[in-house]
Amino acid sequence: MSDTALRNPQAMGNPAEREWQRHTPLQRVLRFTVWLVIALAVVQSLRYIEIIPEFLYDAPEQMSDMLGRMWPIDWAYFGSDVKAGLIETLHIATLGTLLSIVLAIPFGLLVAPNLTRHRGLNLFARIVLVASRSVNSLVWALLFLAIFGPGPLAGTLAIAFRSIGFVGKMAGETIEQMPRGPIEALQASGASKFSEIWYGYWPQLKPAFMSIVLLRWDINVRESAVLGIVGAGGVGMVLDTALNLFQWPRVATVLVSIFAIVIVTEVVVTQIRKRVL
């Protein structure tokens, strides 16, 4: 039955002539058009990535050969280089997250229209947050490598500038959804703007903000683990060295260590959110 018939029962006519339709003709055309565009996009993408069938057939054999070279894992390599790289990775992720909080809070406040009632500032903050999210952390790392040279400083700044968009956007959206009651009470009592933010917005924002920061730190640990591939410090540099020298048992050590540290950080974040927030 069409929507017009449902809104106007008199237009339905004889019950024997009623016909239920899941989609109107226009809806069916639009759905077909969407599926056709998706299919064309997939076909066009497959043409441009140049899949070679011979390589696909040979992939299982090559994977088996690579895994065979990685075994047995060189655990002695962990204490000499991998451990220091993992510690540096955690430092990069932690310092980058803390720096991003300092930089993201002002933009989170500016992007919320119910707090900052100026469209120009709202638009400026939104552009900054979008720009931060649209550039990958590896691209940020390459940019800061050109400025500061290779090392963990470039990685830390790359993590920070990549995280500004995420933290600021989540904080701004949380502020937009806050109830107006406590804010209006503070405004009616003549509270200053700082008091309005500190006593009205922050108590409501705090639980969500802490959860956002923990989630971003968890993501940053994963991202900082690969920044070393471009020379931005961390365990990624150890991985890159092992790959360049074809030291496959050491490559396996680094990969297993990265997997383990990601699991540990996931457990830590989950426990903190359960027990503290």
Side-chain angles (χ1 to χ4, degrees), residues 81 105 180 193 197 223 244:
D81 291 316
I105 288 178
R180 294 289 302 169
K193 195 66 175 181
I197 295 174
E223 292 193 353
N244 291 334

Side-chain angles (χ1 to χ4, degrees), residues 107-183:
F107 293 106
L109 299 177
L110 290 176
V111 80
N114 58 331
L115 175 60
T116 304
R117 302 182 182 277
H118 190 288
R119 291 189 176 181
L121 293 177
N122 296 151
L123 180 61
F124 169 72
R126 194 170 299 278
I127 290 174
V128 172
L129 297 180
V130 170
S132 170
R133 297 197 312 275
S134 62
V135 179
N136 190 272
S137 57
L138 285 174
V139 179
W140 281 117
L142 290 172
L143 174 64
F144 289 115
L145 280 170
I147 300 173
F148 300 104
L153 177 60
T156 301
L157 293 175
I159 289 295
F161 276 74
R162 169 67 171 170
S163 303
I164 290 173
F166 180 89
V167 177
K169 181 178 184 296
M170 294 294 101
E173 290 182 351
T174 304
I175 293 174
E176 288 184 44
Q177 299 170 3
M178 289 181 180
R180 294 289 302 169
I183 311 301

